[in-house]
Amino acid sequence: MMAVEDLHFSHRQSLTPVLKGVTFAAEPGKLTAVLGANGSGKTTLFRCITGLWKPQKGDIRFKGNSIGDYRHSDRARIIALVPQEHEPPFPYSVLEAVIMGRTAHVGLFSNPSRHDRRKAEEAVERVGIGHLRSRPYTKISGGERQLVLIARALAQESPVMLLDEPTSHLDFKNQILVLRKIKEIVKEKSVTALMTIHDPNLATLFSDSVVMINDGCVLSQGAPHEVVNEHNLSGLYGIDVCVFAVNGSRVIMPRMHPQ
């Protein structure tokens, strides 16, 4: 389990705190979605978890140990980050891009071993992009690139995976394909996965747990069917929202008032 405990963060020379006592837990084998409007603190939260930014108060713990106590090299073996998008400086092949996920396991002046290459190959096949292994990473579609980034994180073999808006810039079909693949991998590998996402409908469909962050505070957290409701969503986004059932699923829409 990864636990975020009473996390506070403010930028230097800023009187306004970004995170104000954020507390929640994410469990292995489950996908935890973080919902919040732009500027609510989601990106800051991820940067604190990875150690890029240091909180003024609070802690992030993995298996009871403070993440801050780990060396950067050890932390890289614990946490894998899947960014929104990644533009490499060279046209690496898909397989080469995935092998980069093994960096935390390779010595400073060493080359990837056969074992590292095998792990990368396994990740490529597991994500379903084996047919792209020799293609330039810069010449494939947005949905395929996102799968490459997921394969890279998978090759890293880290028990914690952070996914920063993995469906950003993807069309509807690729959003579903990518989230299905993430859900499968998280369950199969018992990964502790934390995902920021903007669409509450997708969060409801694919996540096991939801954490709602509003103005740097946790507004609500729990199972999607418990916390993704009209009251919480209206408070989260500042608009009138309706939630209704369609064929056994919940659909979320803004409430349209007559002009």
Side-chain angles (χ1 to χ4, degrees), residues 51-69:
L52 185 62
W53 290 352
K54 186 176 180 180
Q56 283 78 33
K57 182 183 176 184
D59 203 359
I60 300 106
R61 292 186 172 274
F62 176 69
K63 293 185 177 179
N65 300 314
S66 175
I67 289 291
D69 292 341

Side-chain angles (χ1 to χ4, degrees), residues 135-188:
R135 292 272 302 278
Y137 174 77
T138 53
K139 300 296 183 181
I140 57 179
S141 71
E144 290 167 339
R145 281 197 197 188
Q146 202 62 42
L147 290 174
V148 172
L149 294 176
I150 293 168
R152 186 180 70 176
L154 187 60
Q156 193 170 329
E157 292 189 303
S158 299
V160 177
M161 186 181 294
L162 304 183
L163 302 117
D164 188 11
E165 298 181 26
T167 57
S168 180
H169 311 303
L170 299 184
D171 60 31
F172 180 68
K173 175 185 176 181
N174 280 306
Q175 287 178 354
I176 301 302
L177 291 176
V178 166
L179 287 175
R180 279 179 178 168
K181 191 63 65 175
I182 291 170
K183 181 84 169 179
E184 290 173 6
I185 290 170
V186 167
K187 186 175 181 180
E188 175 189 316

Side-chain angles (χ1 to χ4, degrees), residues 241-252:
V241 174
C242 57
V243 179
F244 52 93
V246 176
N247 295 329
S249 298
R250 288 147 56 89
V251 177
I252 302 156

Side-chain angles (χ1 to χ4, degrees), residues 4 7 18-24 32-46 49 194-197 210-221 232-233 235-237:
V4 177
L7 209 64
V18 182
L19 300 179
K20 310 168 187 176
V22 171
T23 298
F24 67 91
T32 299
V34 179
L35 283 177
N38 291 335
S40 61
K42 302 188 303 298
T43 299
T44 299
L45 172 64
F46 268 27
I49 291 174
L194 195 60
M195 169 182 72
T196 60
I197 193 166
V210 173
V211 177
M212 294 182 170
I213 295 182
N214 184 38
D215 192 26
C217 300
V218 175
L219 176 68
S220 186
Q221 58 181 305
N232 286 340
L233 289 170
L236 192 67
Y237 295 110

